[in-house]
Each structure stands twice: as structure tokens, then as C-alpha cells.
Amino acid sequence: MKKICCFGEALIDFLEEPGTAGAPPAFLQFAGGAPANVAVAAARLGARSEFIGMLGSDVFGDFLLDSLCAAGVGTQYVTRTGEARTALAFVSLGAAGERRFSFYRPPAADLLFREAYFRDQAFTEAAVFHVCSNSLTEAQSAASTLEGMRRARAAQALVSVDLNLRSGLWPTGSDPTPSLWRMLEGADLVKLAHNELEFLAHPLGGEAAVVGRLLGACARLVVITHGGAPLRWHTRAARGELPSFKVRPTDTTAAGDAFVGGLLSELARRGVGTAGLDAFLAESSALESALRFGAATGALAVTRKGAFEAMPSRAEVEQLLTEQQHGRAA
């Protein structure tokens, strides 16, 4: 079985814990970072996954590397640097588990990854090359991201993008839209949260224009998630909607990453690659089964705190699917 290779940032999420009996709030350390979360989700579900990126030569970089290894993620393509520290994100949670981020980045080690650090073997081993937009916020890191996508496509790997837009990471006054579209138009699989779709749709005139532009480029599957609302999907030949799973959210930090990890792990388990993707997408029952699996993975992730720690096992996902055969997706 080839690997799900995830490129970009790994960082520390400091989750706020309310103070009690006069004690001030505390922040607890968790391993995170969107592409790293996807790699962990896939590994927990039994897929072979690799994380590709740069970590600081600091205690937080050590913690992330140990956490990736403990989750079963390959780390042979991780580079370390002493030129910048590992990125930090302080996360405050609302009553329903919704998130508010305060990022300490840049400078950050992950943004120092350059094209020269890619290794040919990573692309020959890849069934999927997955990226997010946070590596686009610095010019040379963005160039590395787009080059990785190009090399993955040349190696016949599926290119997957979860936009994961965090406006606070972009330079003040900058418009990320051109960079986002350069990434999106190079992807076979695109996952957007509803607020990201709205951001892209505003200058284009609506959702249909966004989906049309994506499917008119390289995309063959576009998935739109919206919290507990139904999931929507589009291919070049069809579209549909799936209900969500009933869960009680605690922390929604890695819900989208868990969904993507679940979907990609199902594609890998079924042996779906670039050559077989169109045939797979044409079978609506197979496609919706894989999407439900991803949605169940995301649903379970929001019931737990943290990112790496929140990712469920395959047995847990299958149990939720059995319990809620007609339930709701996260």
C-alpha cells in the first residue's frame, strides 16, 4: 500500500482550561497543525502516512516528533532547524467547542521548508499528497508547497487540499485569494469549510462559480462541510448531500482534519488512485460510503480535546457508523 503524505505545518496547540476556585485559567499543551493532524488521523485508522515538514530544534519540536512517531506516522522526511522556533497556537474554546486562535507565527520553523528539502522517494511512495493553505503565508514556503504539488502530480499521486484558511496568519492588509486559487486549481480533491466557500464566493458571485472553477481546473471531487449541517459534495458528473452524525462537541479544533484523514484513508484502503478515481466517483454508493466514513471520523474527533489525541481508531468509527446508520455528519 502506498502512503498518504501530508506536507506543511506541525505546531503546538495550547488549549485554555478555565480556572477554578480563584485559580487563573491554564493552557495545556497538545500536538497539532492541520496537515500533521491529517497524517495522524490516517495512521490511527490503519493507513500508512508520512509527515513532511520542518520542526524547530527546540523542546516543542521534540514533542511534536515524538507525538507523530507515537501515533504511527512516518517521520523520515521531517527536517529540523535551529533558525526558528516551532510555531505555537493558543486556543480558547466556547461553550459548544468552537475555537478562537491566537497564533505565534511567523517566524516559525515550518515556514523555512524549502524545495531542496523534498526527497524523490516521498513522491514515488505517495498515493496522496495532502496540503493546506497555512504554508502559503510566506513566499518561499508557498513556492515549496506548489512545487511539492507539482512533483506529486508528476509522480501520479492524488493531490488533496483542505483550504484550512486562517486569516490571522496572513500579513496585515494582504489578499490571500490569488495564492489560495493557485493551490486550489492544482488539486484533485478539495475540501472547503462553509466559511471558506463564502470567502471565495464573494468576488465570484456565488457558490456555483467557486465549484465550477474548481471542477473546471484539476478537481474531480469538491466537499463542503458546515459543522453539524449536512455535508455537500460535487463531482464533474453529479452532486449530493449527506446528513451529519449526532455527537456532543467538546473541541472542534481538528474536526476538518479528521474528516480528511478518514476520507483519504478510505481511498487508500480501497486502492483508489489517479487512474481509478473517476470510476470510483461514478459509483455514488462507494463515494458516499467513503464520505460517511470521513464524517464519522470528524464527528468522533470533536468529542475529545486536542488534535492528535482526538483522532479515533477504525473500530470506533465503524461502531459510530453502525449506531447511526442514518445519523448526522460532523
Side-chain angles (χ1 to χ4, degrees), residues 140-222:
Q140 292 187 69
S141 176
S144 299
T145 304
L146 297 175
E147 173 62 12
M149 295 172 67
R150 186 197 68 78
R151 292 179 66 176
R153 183 171 297 282
Q156 301 299 305
L158 288 173
V159 177
S160 166
V161 168
D162 177 2
L163 197 59
N164 198 50
L165 179 61
R166 299 285 178 263
S167 58
L169 293 177
W170 292 81
T172 302
S174 67
D175 179 10
T177 309
S179 295
L180 299 179
W181 276 110
R182 279 193 290 274
M183 168 182 275
L184 290 166
E185 290 181 327
D188 299 294
L189 310 175
V190 174
K191 182 263 182 191
L192 300 172
H194 182 72
N195 65 304
E196 295 164 348
L197 175 66
E198 290 183 326
F199 177 86
L200 295 171
H202 179 69
L204 295 182
E207 174 180 332
V210 174
V211 174
R213 181 169 173 176
L214 290 169
L215 294 176
C218 293
R220 289 183 272 174
L221 173 64
V222 178

Side-chain angles (χ1 to χ4, degrees), residues 29-52:
Q29 173 180 289
F30 291 90
N37 294 339
V38 173
V40 169
R44 289 264 172 84
L45 295 167
R48 297 179 68 203
S49 70
E50 289 277 347
F51 176 70
I52 305 171

Side-chain angles (χ1 to χ4, degrees), residues 14-20 23-28 30 91-93 305:
F14 282 100
L15 265 63
E16 184 178 22
E17 288 287 326
T20 56
F27 285 88
L28 302 182
F30 291 90
V91 187
S92 299
L93 300 176
K305 287 191 174 182

